[in-house]
Amino acid sequence: MYAEQREPEFGWTDEHRGLRETVRRVLADRAPVARARELAEAGERHDPALWSELAGQVGLQGLALPERYGGYGGTLLDLAIVVEEMGRVLHGGPFLPTVGLAAPVLLAAEDPGDGNADGNGPATEYLPRIADGSLTAALAVEAWDAAGGPVTSTTADASGRLTGTVPVVVDGGDADLLVVAAQGPAGPAPYLVEAGATGLTRTPLETLDLTRRAARITFDGTPARALGDPARGSAVLARARAVSSVLVSAEQVGGMTAATELTAEYARTRRQFGRLIGSFQGVKHRLADMAVRQEMAHSAAYFAAWQEPGTPEFVEAAAIARSYCGDAFLQTGLDAIQLHGGIGFTWEHDAHLYLRRARADRALLGSPQQARAELVPALLSRVTIEGVPA
């Protein structure tokens, strides 16, 4: 699915540091937070010129895709670094929906864990176009069950025609390709629907996260293409969801890092009652909590990214990252608003944008509470009471 990690023990390599520096430099120049705000206020989806540059000159869309699909054969750890840097600047648009949510399903369906990709499936058709920036995609899943599989009211008949509604799909109103979880004759499975298909209705939504667009998707006898083996559809979607959980966690780490830095800088310069507010003990304690929370989230996300995708260890680590990072980012966003005082509540300040992204990311792949519930069976299997397995 993704390349094996290059190092047997975790550690940042020169390649990792160079990748981070390159991505941070490009985003600082072309997509700072001010640009995210500008696009949001203009109601624009993203900067198409930057999207093309990221694909053609920097190669980020294909960074972690296998070379046989036009990618560069990078690891999930490489891609997590990219997504973290995007989270720092609240980068919106199609990158995470395409590369972080939809592409993992295409990959998992082509090679669902047995290493026997046939090289003739839809992945061969669509992934090279994702890698070169000519195709954007979105994942349409209503909800997830305790086993990590999809919960959907959308149905697919024997001929592959879809009927139903997915209430919220990130970038669903603009994506060229929809990867849809539907209840087919053999159970839940992913289906592909291209933009402009008959019976497809995409209704834009007003979203809490202003930096990312979303839509309600309705299917009315819409022709679709089954992705992979329908009998393994639920397992494919669960496998892809674990990958997506790691990448969303990395984005949350980037967001909370930026929010913490923004708040610390404010505390170093803002005076109240004749003193810098950073000198007050209560402010110091809150900032320390933010910093510790960010470091723990960083460790959880990158421990998961370092695991071998598809293994039980990876699935467990991904759930741990989703469990911790979602709540951690939300609390950091709330703390940032509070420590900024009155200015933190104003539209002109960036603090509320991080809080909005925190709330939206937390709901993308199931709540942190759900992630903890999913972890219970694995954790209980290792518990012993007086030497007797639970």
Side-chain angles (χ1 to χ4, degrees), residues 97-109 122-123 126-127 130 135-142 144 150 152 154 162 166 168-172 175-182 189-195 200 202 217 219 224-228 233 236-237 240 244:
T98 299
V99 179
L101 302 180
V105 183
L106 289 164
L107 277 172
Y126 292 111
L127 287 176
I130 288 177
L135 179 82
T136 63
L139 178 63
V141 179
E142 289 177 55
W144 302 89
T152 178
T154 300
L162 304 185
V166 184
V168 181
V169 178
V170 177
D171 205 40
D176 304 314
L177 178 71
L178 297 174
V179 180
V180 185
Y191 291 80
L192 302 178
V193 176
E194 294 196 2
L200 172 64
R202 310 201 276 189
I217 307 298
F219 306 100
R225 180 180 181 181
L227 178 58
V236 164
L237 285 162
S244 298

Side-chain angles (χ1 to χ4, degrees), residues 193-211:
V193 176
E194 294 196 2
T198 303
L200 172 64
T201 303
R202 310 201 276 189
T203 306
L205 300 173
E206 291 188 12
T207 58
L208 179 65
D209 181 1
L210 304 176
T211 60

